[in-house]
Amino acid sequence: MIKVNENYSKLNDSYLFFKIAEKVNNYQKNHPEKDIIKLGIGDVTRALPKVCIEAFHRGVDDMAEDSTFHGYGPSSGYDFLREKIALEDFKKRGIEISADEIFVSDGSKCDTGNTQELFADDISIAIPDPVYPVYLDTNVMAGRTGDFKDGRYDGVVYMDCTKENNFMPEIPDKPVDLIYLCFPNNPAGTTITKVDLEKWVEYARDTKALILYDAAYEAFIRDDEIPRSIFEIKGAEKVAVEFRSLSKTAGFTGTRCAYTIIPKQCMVFDNTGAKISVQKLWNRRQSTKFNGVSYPVQRAAEAVFSDEGKAQTKELISYYLGNAAIIRNALESLGFECAGGEHSPYIWVDGKGKESWDFFDMLLDKAQVVCTPGAGFGRCGEGYIRISAFNSREKVEQAISRIKEALK
Ligand code: MLT
């Protein structure tokens, strides 16, 4: 008899953004005349940068000739892309990361979800609350948690991120083995200082823990004092893995290209306490389960790191940051306390006592604006909504005037 993975029964019925999409589709079916504005899932709306499109086309043309055709590529990415990333994202910023420490993939969602596979079943995990749901759900699937009770899984060390601590996870007061951090934060939009990040690295080094650092939104940081990479911190190369993505940086949500940085020195331990290279484990996993990102997509990704590409992506991000400023200012002028929206495309709005799914329903019903209910990111997200800046300026302005009207 084929048996189910019982861990799946512990999960919420559907993945957060899937549930939202269903609700929105139902609403649209019942109100076909309504024009819905989506500021929910962080999905970009503007076209790929021109320089990426040109490179993409050239990549497709290469596939049309036997002499330039590409079959299976390396599972960790072509050297032309890995070398560009190492140079532009790290070496030029004074960070020692080499091309063979960069692993190209089809998304940070997959990478953040898949990495947990490399670790023992009985490790303890520390996860911020609220948090991007993938970190937690994939550990639930793997059986690393107990049952779900009162909005929490047994066995998980939750790091509460509330207004009182400026939505910053605090170092756990009990030992943990695996720590998830995300900066600029999804969903709260907050950033971390170098001093605070140093404390995490020191903690991980002292306790032989590993940090999974999600930097998918690093390109939104517009202040040189704020770290864009955990590898700006000395010693992090021994205790951290970093995830980066071109989804929000360069509009690749539909094109798919991300990369994970695993330094050679990053180690985990076996039962005898012997060191095992995380890079070696990841290589083993990826070469078994993944055949790489398509060649034309990697050519388009390579173009992001050219001078023109850097200028075009900066313009793209400035546009979304402009939207974020409009949203935050408008919500604050309506008397809502907000976090994020400055070095982040997300604005985290305190709903003034309203439950977050009620706030979501009200905005959909009265303003036809989709947001993300904070409770979907964890128990501490209850009472908040997240508004995304990913849409056209025109739609954002329209959404704001509808929200103002709805909240009158
Ligand atoms: C989000 O809205 O939190 C993200 O877009 C989801 C994702 O990147 O998978």
Side-chain angles (χ1 to χ4, degrees):
M1 179 170 66
I2 175 71
K3 288 197 174 166
V4 68
N5 174 352
E6 294 285 355
N7 297 313
Y8 274 66
S9 66
K10 298 176 194 163
L11 291 166
N12 292 332
D13 275 353
S14 42
Y15 180 60
L16 172 63
F17 293 106
F18 189 81
K19 180 171 171 184
I20 293 171
E22 266 185 343
K23 270 183 166 265
V24 173
N25 289 343
N26 277 340
Y27 180 86
Q28 186 77 85
K29 222 186 264 166
N30 294 332
H31 304 87
E33 74 293 353
K34 298 278 191 198
D35 165 44
I36 296 174
I37 300 178
K38 293 183 180 164
L39 303 177
I41 190 168
D43 193 5
V44 294
T45 55
R46 288 188 67 199
L48 289 175
K50 194 162 174 283
V51 71
C52 296
I53 288 296
E54 287 161 0
F56 211 163
H57 277 297
R58 284 194 300 274
V60 171
D61 287 344
D62 283 351
M63 300 301 271
E65 300 290 336
D66 291 350
S67 59
T68 49
F69 172 78
H70 285 73
Y72 289 128
S75 59
S76 40
Y78 285 102
D79 285 344
F80 63 76
L81 177 56
R82 299 172 86 191
E83 277 160 14
K84 275 276 161 51
I85 295 169
L87 178 68
E88 299 295 336
D89 270 7
F90 297 100
K91 287 208 174 75
K92 284 193 179 174
R93 295 172 195 262
I95 306 169
E96 272 313 309
I97 291 290
S98 55
D100 59 0
E101 295 176 305
I102 289 164
F103 296 83
V104 176
S105 77
D106 59 349
S108 284
K109 181 182 190 179
C110 327
D111 286 358
T112 54
N114 290 332
T115 329
Q116 50 75 31
E117 249 185 69
L118 309 182
F119 313 121
D121 290 346
D122 59 355
I123 55 164
S124 57
I125 53 170
I127 292 196
D129 177 355
V131 78
Y132 179 44
V134 172
Y135 314 152
L136 187 57
D137 283 6
T138 52
N139 276 290
V140 176
M141 290 169 180
R144 251 179 229 113
T145 70
D147 288 333
F148 190 67
K149 286 183 216 129
D150 299 329
R152 293 215 152 157
Y153 288 98
D154 283 342
V156 174
V157 176
Y158 287 92
M159 301 182 283
D160 289 1
C161 300
T162 60
K163 200 184 295 178
E164 287 65 41
N165 61 16
N166 292 320
F167 309 104
M168 292 301 287
E170 287 164 36
I171 290 179
D173 52 13
K174 51 180 124 168
V176 293
D177 305 308
L178 186 65
I179 300 153
Y180 288 84
L181 293 178
C182 173
F183 292 105
N185 185 255
N186 181 10
T190 46
T191 55
I192 190 165
T193 63
K194 272 194 185 138
V195 172
D196 283 341
L197 198 48
E198 272 163 9
K199 290 183 193 150
W200 280 104
V201 170
E202 198 184 314
Y203 171 80
R205 294 191 65 169
D206 287 350
T207 58
K208 295 187 169 165
L210 182 76
I211 299 172
L212 297 181
Y213 192 78
D214 188 348
Y217 299 91
E218 57 78 29
F220 288 79
I221 295 175
R222 287 295 162 82
D223 177 344
D224 290 342
E225 293 301 307
I226 300 173
R228 291 175 69 155
S229 167
I230 194 166
F231 301 119
E232 288 177 41
I233 310 299
K234 211 164 153 264
E237 65 285 353
K238 295 197 168 82
V239 292
V241 167
E242 180 167 296
F243 305 97
R244 287 185 172 216
S245 167
L246 296 183
S247 284
K248 324 291 156 105
T249 304
F252 273 58
T253 53
T255 311
R256 312 305 307 150
C257 195
Y259 44 103
T260 290
I261 298 98
I262 311 179
K264 288 183 203 78
Q265 295 184 56
C266 183
M267 298 287 160
V268 288
F269 303 89
D270 71 9
N271 284 335
T272 68
K275 288 179 179 170
I276 311 281
S277 150
V278 177
Q279 194 182 90
K280 204 169 153 197
L281 295 170
W282 185 247
N283 248 329
R284 185 68 180 85
R285 185 212 180 266
Q286 292 296 80
S287 54
T288 306
K289 297 193 177 182
F290 182 57
N291 262 337
V293 175
S294 82
Y295 169 77
V297 168
Q298 291 194 59
R299 282 295 183 199
E302 180 191 19
V304 170
F305 301 93
S306 63
D307 287 345
E308 270 177 297
K310 281 187 277 182
Q312 289 173 20
T313 51
K314 196 167 179 198
E315 188 277 323
L316 200 58
I317 290 164
S318 297
Y319 180 89
Y320 291 127
L321 282 173
N323 287 349
I326 292 171
I327 297 168
R328 183 170 172 158
N329 290 340
L331 269 293
E332 282 180 339
S333 75
L334 290 168
F336 290 93
E337 275 183 62
C338 299
E342 274 166 349
H343 304 286
S344 157
Y346 298 130
I347 299 93
W348 188 237
V349 185
D350 181 339
K352 294 200 267 194
K354 209 173 182 61
E355 289 199 359
S356 46
W357 279 105
D358 289 346
F359 207 145
F360 169 91
D361 286 333
M362 188 271 287
L363 284 186
L364 182 59
D365 200 39
K366 287 198 172 167
Q368 290 77 52
V369 172
V370 181
C371 66
T372 307
F377 297 103
R379 198 165 78 184
C380 294
E382 182 53 275
Y384 287 81
I385 56 164
R386 191 195 73 176
I387 303 184
S388 143
F390 293 117
N391 213 319
S392 67
R393 183 62 48 84
E394 191 194 347
K395 292 275 183 202
V396 164
E397 282 168 351
Q398 218 178 331
I400 290 302
S401 60
R402 289 195 202 165
I403 291 174
K404 281 184 176 162
E405 191 59 31
L407 295 176
K408 246 187 198 166

